[in-house]
């Protein structure tokens, strides 16, 4: 894909999503960190339902550490892998207290050293909480980057590297949210909504004309996409 098409994609997404932001509800960097850890293999909606009850009771490292694993499990049972996540959240809370004065660190290395925090989670926290120019590649961003031709890659790390290289600087701050929201609501996995896609013209998806012609009644593809959801 040439630079002009990439510019056109981001320009269209910026117009379609004028106020991009995380859909995980939070008010502090720590709440965001906890919410992102809980969101692994779970929907933002399910996490928000759980944290709406959890955060009024425990929303600081001190309070979560005191709540303990079993106490935390009671609030997040509706979230997938809740037992593992409870252990990680309590462990990272203790680590923040022991090594960072109870504050969420602002470097990737320190974030990734926390239990349950990988590169994607670190990138989300750095971007959303601290305004760093990072792009977190989840399944939505991976799919959109490959399907549109914006920044194809065989794995999330390769896609991230290419996105960082080809994304025009003025869009870097919000690129992650443009792509994830586009993938979540328009460029969906099974039945992309090409008929109403804001980046239809510059997109290089080979089947876009077929899905655009089918409109809202388009059936699901007989063969599943090789891209992860």
């Amino acid at each position: 894909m040439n630079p002009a098409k990439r510019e056109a994609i981001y320009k269209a997404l910026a117009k379609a999503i004028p106020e991009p932001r995380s859909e995980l509800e939070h008010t502090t960097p720590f709440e965001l960190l906890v919410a992102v850890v809980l969101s692994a293999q779970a929907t933002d909606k399910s996490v928000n339902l759980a944290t709406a009850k959890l955060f009024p009771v425990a929303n600081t490292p001190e309070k979560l550490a005191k709540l303990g694993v079993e106490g935390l499990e009671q609030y997040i049972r509706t979230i997938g892998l809740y037992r593992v996540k409870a252990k990680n959240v309590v462990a990272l809370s203790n680590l923040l207290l022991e090594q960072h004065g109870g504050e969420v660190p602002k470097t990737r290395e320190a974030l990734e050293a926390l239990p349950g925090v990988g590169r994607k989670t670190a990138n989300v926290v750095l971007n959303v909480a601290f305004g760093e120019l990072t792009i977190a590649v989840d399944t939505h961003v991976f799919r959109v980057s490959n399907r549109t031709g914006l920044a194809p890659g065989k794995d999330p790390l390769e896609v991230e590297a290419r996105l960082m290289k080809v994304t025009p600087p003025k869009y870097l701050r919000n690129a992650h949210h443009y792509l994830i929201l586009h993938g979540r609501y328009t460029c969906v996995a099974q039945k992309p909504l090409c008929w109403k896609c804001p980046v239809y013209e510059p997109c290089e998806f080979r089947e876009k004309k077929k899905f655009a012609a089918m409109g809202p009644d388009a059936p699901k593809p007989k063969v599943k996409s090789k891209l992860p959801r």
Side-chain angles (χ1 to χ4, degrees):
M1 178 175 286
N2 61 49
K5 281 189 174 182
R6 295 191 184 101
E7 172 74 28
I9 284 178
Y10 279 113
K11 183 177 181 179
L13 290 177
K15 181 178 180 180
I17 313 171
E19 296 182 5
R21 65 181 184 86
S22 173
E23 293 188 316
L24 289 171
E25 295 176 2
H26 66 282
T27 58
T28 67
F30 179 71
E31 287 186 355
L32 174 66
L33 174 61
V34 171
V36 179
V37 170
L38 294 178
S39 72
Q41 300 183 48
T43 65
D44 286 2
K45 181 178 180 180
S46 68
V47 173
N48 289 337
L49 288 172
T51 56
K53 296 179 180 179
L54 170 65
F55 287 159
V57 175
N59 67 338
T60 66
E62 295 88 350
K63 291 179 180 179
L64 270 168
K66 185 176 181 180
L67 187 63
V69 175
E70 292 185 1
L72 177 55
E73 286 180 352
Q74 304 308 311
Y75 289 94
I76 64 172
R77 285 182 178 275
T78 55
I79 301 175
L81 304 175
Y82 75 92
R83 287 192 174 91
V84 173
K85 292 175 180 178
K87 291 179 181 178
N88 285 334
V89 169
V90 171
L92 72 82
S93 296
N94 282 313
L95 204 59
L96 290 178
L97 291 170
E98 295 168 4
Q99 299 183 8
H100 302 283
E103 298 294 325
V104 176
K106 298 182 180 181
T107 67
R108 185 194 309 282
E109 293 75 18
L111 284 166
E112 289 188 23
L114 298 173
V117 177
R119 187 177 184 88
K120 184 192 75 173
T121 296
N123 278 339
V124 172
V125 173
L126 289 171
N127 178 263
V128 177
F130 304 124
E132 296 289 334
L133 302 182
T134 60
I135 299 177
V137 178
D138 68 350
T139 54
H140 298 298
V141 176
F142 185 84
R143 178 175 64 254
V144 171
S145 298
N146 276 281
R147 181 182 279 166
T148 63
L150 177 65
K154 63 180 182 298
D155 56 51
L157 189 58
E158 184 176 352
V159 169
E160 179 189 334
R162 290 190 176 182
L163 283 172
M164 292 299 295
K165 181 178 180 180
V166 305
T167 299
K170 63 182 177 180
Y171 297 114
L172 266 176
R173 176 68 176 83
N174 293 315
H176 162 70
H177 288 115
Y178 290 145
L179 298 174
I180 191 173
L181 293 172
H182 182 60
R184 183 172 290 166
Y185 297 111
T186 303
C187 194
V188 295
Q190 291 292 327
K191 195 169 78 171
L193 310 182
C194 299
W195 54 278
K196 66 172 187 178
C197 178
V199 302
Y200 180 84
E201 289 302 326
C203 174
E204 295 182 352
F205 179 39
R206 293 181 179 180
E207 297 185 90
K208 68 179 185 180
K209 290 184 179 180
K210 179 183 73 174
F211 283 100
M214 291 178 179
D217 298 320
K220 293 182 178 180
K222 293 182 179 179
V223 180
K224 290 186 177 181
S225 170
K226 294 182 180 179
L227 300 178
R229 300 183 190 178

